[in-house]
Amino acid sequence: MPTLVHDAMSRVVLTIGPAHTLRQAAELMSTRRVGAAVVLDPDTCGLGILTERDILNSLGAAQDPDRETAQSHTTTAVVFAAPSWTLTEAAATMTRGGFRHLIVLDEREPVGVVSVRDIVRCWTTREEGGAAARGRPVPA
């Protein structure tokens, strides 16, 4: 049976507003140990995503993280995943879109975020379990 997004996703959904500075976003992401934040704009009822890469690109462009806001760096053309997607579907979607995180929606509400790391962890764990069950050594 294929592993589903529901099984791999992080249920820690960091939600920030568009007025958060990049420094504030980075501090929250670091504290929660997540690589992306869901940006909820109550004025537009829209969801976006701010990733560690967005913050890195801003810093690389010598922008001030205390003045730059999440709104200016948020991806609003977001592709969402459903908890019932297979990890293969999620990975294919990420590959086609060139991104590393998907917001997982259930009934239009964010319930998680799935990352490339989450997918690799699940596939690796499953493969290691299968190798051990077949009597093959599992790499350390």
Side-chain angles (χ1 to χ4, degrees), residues 31-49:
T31 299
R32 300 267 179 93
R33 300 178 51 96
V34 296
V38 174
V39 181
L40 177 59
D41 189 342
D43 293 335
T44 64
C45 298
L47 288 177
I49 190 166

mmCIF file of all heavy atoms in Angstrom, residues 31-49:
data_model
loop_
_atom_site.group_PDB
_atom_site.id
_atom_site.type_symbol
_atom_site.label_atom_id
_atom_site.label_comp_id
_atom_site.label_asym_id
_atom_site.label_seq_id
_atom_site.Cartn_x
_atom_site.Cartn_y
_atom_site.Cartn_z
ATOM 1 N N THR A 31 12.533 28.385 15.656
ATOM 2 C CA THR A 31 12.014 27.885 16.926
ATOM 3 C C THR A 31 11.162 26.639 16.720
ATOM 4 O O THR A 31 11.263 25.672 17.473
ATOM 5 C CB THR A 31 11.181 28.973 17.636
ATOM 6 O OG1 THR A 31 12.029 30.093 17.897
ATOM 7 C CG2 THR A 31 10.576 28.467 18.934
ATOM 8 N N ARG A 32 10.330 26.659 15.698
ATOM 9 C CA ARG A 32 9.435 25.521 15.434
ATOM 10 C C ARG A 32 10.108 24.417 14.620
ATOM 11 O O ARG A 32 9.513 23.377 14.388
ATOM 12 C CB ARG A 32 8.198 25.992 14.674
ATOM 13 C CG ARG A 32 7.382 27.032 15.394
ATOM 14 C CD ARG A 32 6.251 26.416 16.213
ATOM 15 N NE ARG A 32 5.494 27.417 16.904
ATOM 16 C CZ ARG A 32 4.391 27.994 16.457
ATOM 17 N NH1 ARG A 32 3.894 27.658 15.299
ATOM 18 N NH2 ARG A 32 3.784 28.903 17.187
ATOM 19 N N ARG A 33 11.333 24.702 14.153
ATOM 20 C CA ARG A 33 12.094 23.740 13.357
ATOM 21 C C ARG A 33 11.354 23.322 12.086
ATOM 22 O O ARG A 33 11.226 22.144 11.768
ATOM 23 C CB ARG A 33 12.469 22.520 14.197
ATOM 24 C CG ARG A 33 13.333 22.885 15.398
ATOM 25 C CD ARG A 33 13.677 21.706 16.267
ATOM 26 N NE ARG A 33 14.236 20.593 15.526
ATOM 27 C CZ ARG A 33 15.535 20.340 15.368
ATOM 28 N NH1 ARG A 33 16.408 21.148 15.910
ATOM 29 N NH2 ARG A 33 15.941 19.296 14.700
ATOM 30 N N VAL A 34 10.850 24.348 11.370
ATOM 31 C CA VAL A 34 10.167 24.115 10.099
ATOM 32 C C VAL A 34 10.836 24.953 9.014
ATOM 33 O O VAL A 34 11.460 25.974 9.299
ATOM 34 C CB VAL A 34 8.653 24.447 10.186
ATOM 35 C CG1 VAL A 34 7.947 23.522 11.166
ATOM 36 C CG2 VAL A 34 8.413 25.897 10.559
ATOM 37 N N GLY A 35 10.700 24.527 7.778
ATOM 38 C CA GLY A 35 11.333 25.216 6.663
ATOM 39 C C GLY A 35 10.396 26.119 5.886
ATOM 40 O O GLY A 35 10.801 26.718 4.890
ATOM 41 N N ALA A 36 9.148 26.216 6.341
ATOM 42 C CA ALA A 36 8.184 27.047 5.625
ATOM 43 C C ALA A 36 7.106 27.529 6.590
ATOM 44 O O ALA A 36 6.810 26.870 7.588
ATOM 45 C CB ALA A 36 7.536 26.265 4.485
ATOM 46 N N ALA A 37 6.541 28.678 6.266
ATOM 47 C CA ALA A 37 5.432 29.231 7.039
ATOM 48 C C ALA A 37 4.271 29.494 6.088
ATOM 49 O O ALA A 37 4.473 29.947 4.966
ATOM 50 C CB ALA A 37 5.843 30.536 7.721
ATOM 51 N N VAL A 38 3.081 29.198 6.560
ATOM 52 C CA VAL A 38 1.874 29.531 5.811
ATOM 53 C C VAL A 38 1.567 30.986 6.120
ATOM 54 O O VAL A 38 1.511 31.383 7.292
ATOM 55 C CB VAL A 38 0.700 28.618 6.215
ATOM 56 C CG1 VAL A 38 -0.594 29.072 5.542
ATOM 57 C CG2 VAL A 38 1.012 27.172 5.865
ATOM 58 N N VAL A 39 1.405 31.783 5.081
ATOM 59 C CA VAL A 39 1.095 33.199 5.257
ATOM 60 C C VAL A 39 -0.399 33.376 4.993
ATOM 61 O O VAL A 39 -0.876 33.115 3.892
ATOM 62 C CB VAL A 39 1.938 34.089 4.315
ATOM 63 C CG1 VAL A 39 1.613 35.554 4.536
ATOM 64 C CG2 VAL A 39 3.426 33.821 4.522
ATOM 65 N N LEU A 40 -1.097 33.795 6.018
ATOM 66 C CA LEU A 40 -2.539 33.988 5.940
ATOM 67 C C LEU A 40 -2.817 35.478 5.904
ATOM 68 O O LEU A 40 -2.480 36.202 6.849
ATOM 69 C CB LEU A 40 -3.232 33.350 7.141
ATOM 70 C CG LEU A 40 -4.747 33.527 7.239
ATOM 71 C CD1 LEU A 40 -5.444 32.955 6.016
ATOM 72 C CD2 LEU A 40 -5.262 32.868 8.500
ATOM 73 N N ASP A 41 -3.405 35.920 4.808
ATOM 74 C CA ASP A 41 -3.746 37.334 4.664
ATOM 75 C C ASP A 41 -5.242 37.490 4.894
ATOM 76 O O ASP A 41 -6.048 37.153 4.029
ATOM 77 C CB ASP A 41 -3.361 37.834 3.275
ATOM 78 C CG ASP A 41 -3.498 39.340 3.135
ATOM 79 O OD1 ASP A 41 -4.193 39.960 3.961
ATOM 80 O OD2 ASP A 41 -2.913 39.892 2.188
ATOM 81 N N PRO A 42 -5.646 37.986 6.066
ATOM 82 C CA PRO A 42 -7.074 38.095 6.366
ATOM 83 C C PRO A 42 -7.806 39.078 5.456
ATOM 84 O O PRO A 42 -9.008 38.965 5.266
ATOM 85 C CB PRO A 42 -7.112 38.552 7.826
ATOM 86 C CG PRO A 42 -5.761 39.102 8.118
ATOM 87 C CD PRO A 42 -4.808 38.463 7.162
ATOM 88 N N ASP A 43 -7.080 40.028 4.860
ATOM 89 C CA ASP A 43 -7.723 40.999 3.980
ATOM 90 C C ASP A 43 -8.130 40.377 2.648
ATOM 91 O O ASP A 43 -9.112 40.795 2.036
ATOM 92 C CB ASP A 43 -6.792 42.192 3.720
ATOM 93 C CG ASP A 43 -6.570 43.010 4.982
ATOM 94 O OD1 ASP A 43 -7.445 42.983 5.879
ATOM 95 O OD2 ASP A 43 -5.516 43.655 5.080
ATOM 96 N N THR A 44 -7.369 39.390 2.204
ATOM 97 C CA THR A 44 -7.688 38.767 0.906
ATOM 98 C C THR A 44 -8.212 37.348 1.072
ATOM 99 O O THR A 44 -8.569 36.706 0.090
ATOM 100 C CB THR A 44 -6.435 38.694 0.014
ATOM 101 O OG1 THR A 44 -5.481 37.827 0.630
ATOM 102 C CG2 THR A 44 -5.839 40.067 -0.220
ATOM 103 N N CYS A 45 -8.247 36.849 2.313
ATOM 104 C CA CYS A 45 -8.641 35.467 2.596
ATOM 105 C C CYS A 45 -7.779 34.478 1.826
ATOM 106 O O CYS A 45 -8.216 33.383 1.501
ATOM 107 C CB CYS A 45 -10.128 35.241 2.291
ATOM 108 S SG CYS A 45 -11.211 36.237 3.301
ATOM 109 N N GLY A 46 -6.558 34.891 1.542
ATOM 110 C CA GLY A 46 -5.687 34.031 0.757
ATOM 111 C C GLY A 46 -4.604 33.386 1.589
ATOM 112 O O GLY A 46 -4.226 33.887 2.648
ATOM 113 N N LEU A 47 -4.124 32.253 1.094
ATOM 114 C CA LEU A 47 -3.017 31.550 1.707
ATOM 115 C C LEU A 47 -1.813 31.635 0.784
ATOM 116 O O LEU A 47 -1.941 31.505 -0.435
ATOM 117 C CB LEU A 47 -3.348 30.067 1.895
ATOM 118 C CG LEU A 47 -4.349 29.677 2.961
ATOM 119 C CD1 LEU A 47 -4.579 28.171 2.920
ATOM 120 C CD2 LEU A 47 -3.871 30.091 4.325
ATOM 121 N N GLY A 48 -0.667 31.827 1.385
ATOM 122 C CA GLY A 48 0.575 31.803 0.632
ATOM 123 C C GLY A 48 1.603 31.034 1.434
ATOM 124 O O GLY A 48 1.314 30.545 2.529
ATOM 125 N N ILE A 49 2.804 30.951 0.892
ATOM 126 C CA ILE A 49 3.866 30.233 1.595
ATOM 127 C C ILE A 49 5.152 31.047 1.536
ATOM 128 O O ILE A 49 5.477 31.649 0.507
ATOM 129 C CB ILE A 49 4.056 28.813 1.029
ATOM 130 C CG1 ILE A 49 4.979 27.984 1.925
ATOM 131 C CG2 ILE A 49 4.541 28.841 -0.405
ATOM 132 C CD1 ILE A 49 4.951 26.487 1.632
#
